[in-house]
Amino acid sequence: MSRAIDAEGLTHRFGDGETAKPVLLDLTLSVEAGEIVLLTGPSGSGKTTLLTLVGGLRAVQDGRCTVLGTELAGATEAERVALRRRIGFIFQHHNLLGFLSARQNVAMALEVDPSLSEQERLDRADLALDAVGLSDKREAYPSTLSGGQRQRVAIARALVHEPGIVLADEPTAALDGRTGGEAMRLLRRLAKDRGRTILLVTHDPRILDIADRVVAMEDGRIVETARA
Ligand code: ADP
Ligand code: MG
């Protein structure tokens, strides 16, 4: 199997000089294409920092990190932007725009593809909403949806452009246990249907069962890895 994510010797610091403390320390992690990996670990251990590096949201300082075939060490901003378009992001707070309907929020993720007309984008958004069970909520605004429905819209938005990788940062933190579990099982099913790779940060023990592998971080390093 080919590797979707291949990070080796990643070290990252915030701040300069004497006060700079390493947040990631010589971290090595690989994720195979099609694999679902959950990343756990105490608050402050560097999980979000790792996700932002893998997602091309921040420049690599030290070490190397290849994502979907793009080497991020030394990559230009333009290369990182191009990579970001091939990634689906899901955040703790769904980050939907309140003044757009569910279908408009999802369709927005397709604006990176200039070859699509607006009608094509809206049609594909509708299909993505169908896939997450929200066919009847296309026109709904986020404020009228439940927390679980909003997170399902966010899942549709993360998948609609057929990303090579989905990166999720504590996607169930704002949901109750049952709702969060249902949303993540849905994400797993949709990802497995299409062979998509997922790297998902979570504190939520109730969703560990969606993983192919669980990786634990501590103080900027991977400390444990277990096959599910
Ligand atoms: P986690 O997601 O595991 O909670 P983070 O990656 O968010 O950990 O943070 C790791 C450490 O880096 C923490 O000590 C945090 O305070 C620090 N940190 C995160 N982002 C920044 C930033 N932009 N500037 C300075 N320090 C940061
Ligand atoms: Mg975090």
Side-chain angles (χ1 to χ4, degrees):
M1 247 198 285
S2 66
R3 283 182 174 167
I5 301 171
D6 198 7
E8 204 185 322
L10 267 190
T11 296
H12 200 86
R13 292 179 175 78
F14 289 111
D16 301 309
E18 302 283 290
T19 59
K21 68 167 188 147
V23 167
L24 298 182
L25 242 175
D26 196 20
L27 180 146
T28 294
L29 175 70
S30 311
V31 177
E32 305 295 329
E35 197 181 18
I36 298 181
V37 172
L38 264 58
L39 186 62
T40 65
S43 176
S45 56
K47 305 180 299 296
T48 294
T49 304
L50 175 60
L51 222 58
T52 58
L53 285 170
V54 169
L57 296 165
R58 205 187 271 298
V60 169
Q61 294 174 346
D62 254 308
R64 40 163 231 87
C65 185
T66 308
V67 178
L68 298 174
T70 298
E71 175 53 66
L72 288 169
T76 62
E77 173 68 18
E79 286 169 326
R80 284 195 283 128
V81 169
L83 174 67
R84 291 206 286 271
R85 293 180 174 162
R86 299 163 61 206
I87 294 179
F89 292 95
I90 303 175
F91 301 100
Q92 169 173 348
H93 300 287
H94 50 77
N95 297 81
L96 301 178
L97 296 177
F99 54 89
L100 296 181
S101 66
R103 64 137 55 116
Q104 288 170 326
N105 265 287
V106 175
M108 225 179 71
L110 292 169
E111 280 177 6
V112 296
D113 183 350
S115 72
L116 293 176
S117 67
E118 181 169 20
Q119 193 55 52
E120 284 168 325
R121 281 190 270 118
L122 293 172
D123 289 346
R124 276 179 60 181
D126 286 345
L127 289 176
L129 286 170
D130 292 348
V132 298
L134 291 178
S135 308
D136 56 338
K137 299 290 182 190
R138 291 169 179 174
E139 304 296 343
Y141 286 84
S143 62
T144 68
L145 298 173
S146 69
Q149 287 170 336
R150 278 179 224 161
Q151 199 54 297
R152 280 191 281 154
V153 176
I155 290 171
R157 184 185 52 182
L159 294 175
V160 72
H161 61 305
E162 307 193 348
I165 298 181
V166 175
L167 298 176
D169 199 356
E170 307 206 28
T172 64
L175 302 176
D176 70 62
R178 193 173 61 86
T179 308
E182 281 169 4
M184 291 305 107
R185 275 187 287 281
L186 171 66
L187 174 63
R188 179 190 163 84
R189 184 163 54 73
L190 295 173
K192 285 291 176 190
D193 280 352
R194 296 297 191 94
R196 300 209 198 293
T197 309
I198 299 182
L199 180 60
L200 184 152
V201 169
T202 188
H203 279 300
D204 187 346
R206 287 165 300 206
I207 65 164
L208 294 181
D209 61 312
I210 72 158
D212 297 323
R213 185 156 58 102
V214 179
V215 171
M217 258 181 93
E218 216 173 286
D219 296 332
R221 288 192 175 91
I222 303 292
V223 290
E224 190 188 306
T225 177
R227 289 270 151 211

